[in-house]
Amino acid sequence: MASMTRGRATNAGLVPTALMAAYYAQRASAGLIVSEGTWVSPTSIGFINVPGIYTPEQVEGWKLVTTAVHNKGGLIFSQLGHIGTATHPDHLNGKLPAGPSAINPATKSFTPEGFKDTLTPRELTVDEIKQIIRDYKQAASNAREAGFDGVEVHAHAGMLIQQFLCPATNQRRDDYGGNIENRARIVFEILDAILQVWGSTRVAIKLNPVAISNVGIMVPDDETIPLFQYILKKLSDYDLAYLQIEGPAEDLTGTPVEVLQNNYFSHFRRHYKGRLMANLGFTRESANAIIKEGTADVVSFGVPFIANPDLVERFQNNLPLSQSNQDTYYTGGEKGYTDYPKAEWNKLIAN
Ligand SMILES: Cc1cc2nc3c(=O)[nH]c(=O)nc-3n(C[C@H](O)[C@H](O)[C@H](O)COP(=O)(O)O)c2cc1C
């Protein structure tokens, strides 16, 4: 089950709740659940009611979740995230957001008063970058204490790491900007820090080389393909649990990454030697096909898990899937969260 922000940590401390434990437990047959993106520090926040993993109270809250999933025989990784500049002072006690460079990412931030435009941030100092890396390490350690089975680094779709990778948002002239190696440096420094806490096969990373919508100015450019080839080659030496790659949500024709249009996952497969998890828009059939042809080792599902807590059983028995209601993705409360029923076998057999 791919990571999905659901905005149910509806309390001032951003502490995971019993309702969240119930939601994840309902989906425990997924095999491996990746938790919703979770803040590694108070300065990493950028979306309302998303939980953190940086206070003792949050760690206690996550214990409810991990225990509930384990009691149902499931496994769960914590997805560690930092939103960087794609936030708003409303999330930061009025302070200006900070990122690789003082460049407005031109995205939106979901604040208590609704979606607001991002602002021109300030540039992080090298000391602050080092602190962020320590925050990831501490969050990974907290995830261990909270009973998670591993961690996934959230490095895709407009988050801080992508802001470093992308030359449109990273114009630094120090070791963290400029050429591909420098822009990608933070990925490996974060992974190396986490590997001081977890064995490599309990650590994963999620990337999206081609996100086009909802990422403001962080769109693919002429260096996107060599950049990700460099990252994947280097990640191949890490023996991670898996590398999750999210596929293209849009037609790539006419973009600088057009050559990936028809061979997206097979292109990245060639550059990554470890376990590859493919994601985005898969069905039972297309997931089985990509695994059978050897392009991916494993496939993750996001949206299908929202309305089908028993997605695995439905796939196993070829049962129809329910559709989720987008209006309740982030609204808090049980509605559209824990109230999707399992397949009604009796009715289906009778029909
Ligand atoms: C409501 C919702 C929230 C999401 N939140 C996250 C998130 O917190 N972290 C993340 O990496 N991806 C997030 N995603 C993306 C999913 O993990 C997944 O990559 C995407 O939905 C494509 O897979 P699918 O077609 O199987 O849904 C979210 C998707 C949805 C629908």
Side-chain angles (χ1 to χ4, degrees), residues 22 59 95 129 145 149 153 158 166 195 235 237 272 316 349:
V59 171
K95 292 209 180 101
I129 296 173
E145 195 193 328
D149 299 288
V153 176
C166 181
L195 290 173
L235 284 177
D237 295 332
Y272 183 62
Q316 275 169 344
I349 292 165

Side-chain angles (χ1 to χ4, degrees), residues 1-7 23 34-38 47 50 79 152-157 159 206-208 244-247 249 278-283 299-306 311 324 326 328-330:
M1 174 169 151
S3 182
M4 281 184 291
T5 293
R6 302 302 314 276
Y23 164 80
V34 186
S35 81
E36 58 213 277
T38 299
F47 198 102
V50 170
Q79 192 191 48
E152 180 186 89
V153 176
H154 186 351
H156 88 307
M159 305 287 285
K206 180 175 180 184
L207 299 170
N208 183 341
Q244 178 170 198
I245 297 189
E246 188 178 354
N279 168 254
L280 195 124
F282 281 93
T283 61
V299 169
S300 66
F301 297 87
V303 171
F305 266 110
I306 293 180
L311 185 68
S324 57
Q326 289 193 26
T328 51
Y329 278 5
Y330 310 115

